[in-house]
Amino acid sequence: MEAVQTNNRTYNRTLVVVVMMIAMAAGALMQTSLGTAIPSLMKAFDINLSTAQQATTWFLLFNGMMVPLSAYLANRIPTTVLHMIAYALLFVGVLVTMSTPENSGSWWIFIVGRIISAMAFGIMMPMMQIVILNMYAPEERGAAMGAMGLVIGMVPAIGPTLSGWILKQDHTFWGFTLSDSWRSTFLIPLVITGIALVLTPFLMRNVVPTKKVKLDFLSLFLSTIGFGLFLWGFTNVGSHGWGNVPNVLVPIFAGVFLIVIFVWRQLKLSNPFLDVKVFLTKDFTIPSVVGILAMMAMFGVEMMLPTYLQNVRGLSAFDSGLTLLWGALLMGVFSAISGALYNKVGAKVLGMVGFAILGLGTFPFLFLTPETPTIIISVLYGVRMAGIAMAMMPMTTKAMAALPDAKTSHGTAANNTLRQVANSVVVALLTSVVQNVINNNTPSNHMKVTEPLRYASKMLDASLDGFKIAFLISLGFAVLGFILAFFVKSEKEEA
């Protein structure tokens, strides 16, 4: 572990990364571990699938809203202080969510906790990339970003499995009896966040230079409200349908209008709140979009598959999580492999191979039945996650390498803003598709009384049809990613 200096103080880069990875693990678990717990939330709060998925979409919404602010915060607040603020917010958010009473009237408290956690994670994700880019030379960043990929990729992937295992256990914590309860899924993130918060003052260092940057409040308003309205509109699709004017179409178009004004203002400012000019660099934009497609493909199936396994296949939360375990493990293995291969073969080759594998692993999902063996689902999911790991982090590293060091904070914020917006949209999109197909194909209540077995069979078919369309959309992301990866600059990165 090599010691380096900043501000005349010696520190260890590896330990700094370890602290960030610990905290990121908690944030990433908060982001995706609810996938397996969605059916439990539906039962506990007496809500439908669309409402339950708001726990994810609202998280992604506020996560995306916070990311543009991260560039300003990274340049204005010392690295150690900013990390402590983010970790404290995450701890509070997890605790609020975990403490929500079980009734439909308290669902908003659960969402508030998710929002607080999302605000913290919206700071943590870009800061981790900014810190790594400031600590490591260009030739070292591939391995460092590969290590980060273990957290950004593997932990969200392992979240559903870990959540399913936790839901099967009995716990007592601060007076709560957590027997087969959704609350238990927050135990590990809470403890991990607490550990990171305690370690930060001792191991974190102010590696990102700070400067007095004036906050453009108008830009902050435009970005927050613009992205917020846009994502809120997509969040409402599952509950209200695409044709709903006040809850879906108005916020989406209003959000787009404010985002356009925001972008126009950034192009005019000498010191922009978010330097959108980074997208004028083709070598940054194309890999960023390709990496985002990989993330969307991961979220698309990752959020839908546990619900399919429990609602269609009838598996328990633990068994559905266990089915996805190999995918999580392969995600970690191939994240490390792609990091090691980055300097040897380049992002383009890794991206094209990764998306090809992703497509091959996704296509069979279009033919799932209520009787498909879980071992086949597990293998296919593992193939998908291996492909995503090979494509996602190399593309992010390639994108950031195209920018000068002075632009890394803005490039990171821009990349993560698009990523979170895209993730919010894909979760809302797929949830609405599944919910709408189910609603449109639900048999009459009369059949439920007169022919209960036939009613149950038709409901099962309706759910399965909805999931198949969601998987088809995810396959589309893989195909589009493969095509765009072809246009990534092909020069191999120098060792």
Side-chain angles (χ1 to χ4, degrees), residues 18 146 164 206 215 255 297 303 334 349 360 368 414 442 446 455 475 481 490 495:
V18 167
N206 298 323
L215 179 60
M303 298 307 297
F334 278 86
V349 173
L360 291 174
L368 291 183
T442 298
H446 178 70
Y455 177 88
L475 177 61
S490 60

Side-chain angles (χ1 to χ4, degrees), residues 116-138:
I116 296 172
S117 302
M119 293 171 66
F121 197 54
I123 298 172
M124 292 161 52
M125 172 85 80
M127 277 302 299
M128 186 172 188
Q129 294 178 350
I130 293 170
V131 168
I132 286 177
L133 292 170
N134 276 270
M135 288 195 305
Y136 291 91

Side-chain angles (χ1 to χ4, degrees), residues 141-200:
R141 290 172 184 169
M145 295 288 275
M148 185 175 72
L150 287 172
V151 175
I152 295 178
M154 184 177 179
V155 173
I158 206 172
T161 303
L162 183 62
S163 175
W165 177 80
I166 292 174
L167 283 169
K168 194 177 181 181
Q169 311 304 309
D170 292 336
H171 310 277
T172 300
F173 186 77
W174 286 7
F176 285 112
T177 300
L178 308 178
S179 176
D180 191 26
S181 170
W182 56 268
R183 299 184 196 278
S184 57
T185 62
F186 299 103
L187 276 173
I188 292 179
L190 190 72
V191 173
I192 293 176
T193 305
I195 293 172
L197 185 59
V198 171
L199 292 178
T200 297

Side-chain angles (χ1 to χ4, degrees), residues 247-316:
N247 296 295
V248 176
L249 298 181
V250 168
I252 288 177
F253 284 107
V256 170
F257 177 72
L258 292 178
I259 292 171
V260 170
I261 297 176
F262 169 75
V263 171
W264 177 81
R265 180 171 177 79
Q266 304 317 296
L267 294 173
K268 297 294 183 181
L269 292 173
S270 56
N271 293 305
F273 175 75
L274 181 65
D275 191 356
V276 295
K277 290 181 180 178
V278 294
F279 290 111
L280 297 177
T281 303
K282 185 175 69 172
D283 292 339
F284 168 81
T285 302
I286 295 178
S288 292
V289 172
V290 175
I292 288 168
L293 285 170
M295 181 68 81
M296 291 173 71
M298 181 178 79
F299 263 85
V301 170
E302 192 172 81
M303 298 307 297
M304 293 293 106
L305 199 53
T307 307
Y308 157 80
L309 289 170
Q310 293 180 54
N311 289 359
V312 176
R313 292 297 313 278
L315 299 185
S316 66

Side-chain angles (χ1 to χ4, degrees), residues 438-439 441-463:
I438 292 174
N439 292 342
N441 292 278
T442 298
S444 65
N445 288 328
H446 178 70
M447 181 183 293
K448 186 176 183 179
V449 176
T450 59
E451 300 179 82
L453 293 179
R454 187 183 176 197
Y455 177 88
S457 176
K458 284 187 172 295
M459 279 299 299
L460 194 65
D461 291 339
S463 298

Side-chain angles (χ1 to χ4, degrees), residues 6-339:
T6 183
N7 299 326
N8 297 320
R9 294 183 64 184
T10 301
Y11 73 99
N12 191 292
R13 296 184 301 184
T14 303
L15 293 179
V16 171
V17 172
V18 167
V19 172
M20 293 190 297
M21 289 178 69
I22 290 173
M24 284 290 293
L29 283 173
M30 281 295 290
Q31 188 175 29
T32 63
S33 60
L34 283 185
T36 307
I38 287 295
S40 298
L41 292 175
M42 293 168 64
K43 182 179 179 180
F45 289 93
D46 191 23
I47 53 179
N48 61 20
L49 172 63
S50 178
T51 302
Q53 285 288 10
Q54 289 180 5
T56 297
T57 52
W58 278 100
F59 184 98
L60 294 172
L61 188 158
F62 274 83
N63 196 347
M65 289 167 58
M66 283 298 296
V67 170
L69 185 60
S70 66
Y72 167 79
L73 296 175
N75 288 313
R76 191 69 181 86
I77 302 176
T79 310
T80 302
V81 175
L82 185 55
H83 278 82
M84 290 189 67
I85 292 172
Y87 300 164
L89 276 175
L90 182 60
F91 188 88
V92 171
V94 176
L95 195 58
V96 169
T97 304
M98 184 178 178
S99 306
T100 305
E102 284 190 355
N103 59 75
S104 58
S106 299
W107 179 243
W108 68 271
I109 300 176
F110 189 96
I111 296 298
V112 168
R114 296 287 289 171
I115 288 172
I116 296 172
S117 302
M119 293 171 66
F121 197 54
I123 298 172
M124 292 161 52
M125 172 85 80
M127 277 302 299
M128 186 172 188
Q129 294 178 350
I130 293 170
V131 168
I132 286 177
L133 292 170
N134 276 270
M135 288 195 305
Y136 291 91
E139 63 271 13
E140 300 174 298
R141 290 172 184 169
M145 295 288 275
M148 185 175 72
L150 287 172
V151 175
I152 295 178
M154 184 177 179
V155 173
I158 206 172
T161 303
L162 183 62
S163 175
W165 177 80
I166 292 174
L167 283 169
K168 194 177 181 181
Q169 311 304 309
D170 292 336
H171 310 277
T172 300
F173 186 77
W174 286 7
F176 285 112
T177 300
L178 308 178
S179 176
D180 191 26
S181 170
W182 56 268
R183 299 184 196 278
S184 57
T185 62
F186 299 103
L187 276 173
I188 292 179
L190 190 72
V191 173
I192 293 176
T193 305
I195 293 172
L197 185 59
V198 171
L199 292 178
T200 297
F202 303 100
L203 301 181
M204 184 62 64
R205 292 296 180 266
N206 298 323
V207 299
V208 181
T210 57
K211 54 187 176 182
K212 290 186 177 180
V213 182
K214 184 179 179 181
L215 179 60
D216 182 20
F217 286 98
L218 180 56
S219 293
L220 175 61
F221 171 82
L222 290 171
S223 67
T224 302
I225 303 302
F227 286 112
L229 284 173
F230 179 77
L231 297 176
W232 180 54
F234 275 94
T235 300
N236 290 335
V237 169
S239 301
H240 300 282
W242 286 99
N244 187 283
V245 174
N247 296 295
V248 176
L249 298 181
V250 168
I252 288 177
F253 284 107
V256 170
F257 177 72
L258 292 178
I259 292 171
V260 170
I261 297 176
F262 169 75
V263 171
W264 177 81
R265 180 171 177 79
Q266 304 317 296
L267 294 173
K268 297 294 183 181
L269 292 173
S270 56
N271 293 305
F273 175 75
L274 181 65
D275 191 356
V276 295
K277 290 181 180 178
V278 294
F279 290 111
L280 297 177
T281 303
K282 185 175 69 172
D283 292 339
F284 168 81
T285 302
I286 295 178
S288 292
V289 172
V290 175
I292 288 168
L293 285 170
M295 181 68 81
M296 291 173 71
M298 181 178 79
F299 263 85
V301 170
E302 192 172 81
M303 298 307 297
M304 293 293 106
L305 199 53
T307 307
Y308 157 80
L309 289 170
Q310 293 180 54
N311 289 359
V312 176
R313 292 297 313 278
L315 299 185
S316 66
F318 173 69
D319 289 334
S320 68
L322 194 62
T323 303
L324 309 183
L325 177 60
W326 287 107
L329 296 178
L330 287 174
M331 183 81 178
V333 170
F334 278 86
S335 290
I337 291 174
S338 64

Side-chain angles (χ1 to χ4, degrees), residues 57 234 237 242 424-434 473 477:
T57 52
F234 275 94
V237 169
W242 286 99
S424 299
V425 169
V426 74
V427 170
L429 173 64
L430 297 187
T431 300
S432 68
V433 166
V434 174
I473 294 173
F477 295 145

